[in-house]
Amino acid sequence: MTQLTGQPVTDDDVVHLTVPADGGYLGVLRTATAGLAARLQFALDEIEDLRIAVDEACAMLLAIATRDAELECRFAVTEDALTIEVTVPTVRGATLPAESSFAWKVLTALTSSASATAADGRATIALLTRRSAGY
């Protein structure tokens, strides 16, 4: 298996978290994000940017999630990058904000790359952040 970085990922390098699709549980995902980024020796400002990006991505998904849904989060770790994929089942006809929206501007400013897909009643946002060279 490879991730967005093109580097191989083993099952040991992947963390899966599932929480209720409720804003009250986003702290768990923010904390996991910060812990994994710290493990990769990201700078403090990079860790905070990632926490904000995960929060923003989850907020976008919660707005279109089905009732009683679960938010699934997959963290893939490589030597110099962290990829985070957040997915949720969506209500019929749901759409993610346009890439020109403020929410997307935030995601792309805080990460190396951000993308989204919506198909078969599920929406996923993928975030990739590479550690800065000055670690």
Side-chain angles (χ1 to χ4, degrees), residues 23 25-35 50-52 54-55 75:
Y25 292 93
L26 295 186
V28 173
L29 298 180
R30 288 191 302 268
T31 301
T33 300
L50 258 176
R51 285 170 43 93
I52 294 167
V54 166
D55 202 50
F75 300 88

Side-chain angles (χ1 to χ4, degrees), residues 5-89:
T5 63
Q7 296 178 347
V9 176
T10 66
D11 286 340
D12 292 342
D13 299 326
V14 177
V15 175
H16 293 271
L17 285 176
T18 302
V19 297
D22 179 287
Y25 292 93
L26 295 186
V28 173
L29 298 180
R30 288 191 302 268
T31 301
T33 300
L36 291 168
R39 179 175 169 232
L40 288 170
Q41 299 178 346
F42 277 45
L44 289 177
D45 59 332
E46 292 172 316
I47 293 171
E48 189 57 27
D49 286 352
L50 258 176
R51 285 170 43 93
I52 294 167
V54 166
D55 202 50
E56 190 67 35
C58 289
M60 280 192 239
L61 293 174
L62 291 180
I64 58 173
T66 59
R67 184 181 179 139
D68 298 326
E70 290 186 328
L71 192 64
E72 296 175 24
C73 192
R74 178 184 179 272
F75 300 88
V77 179
T78 62
E79 285 184 22
D80 68 342
L82 179 60
T83 301
I84 303 164
E85 294 177 353
V86 186
T87 186
V88 70

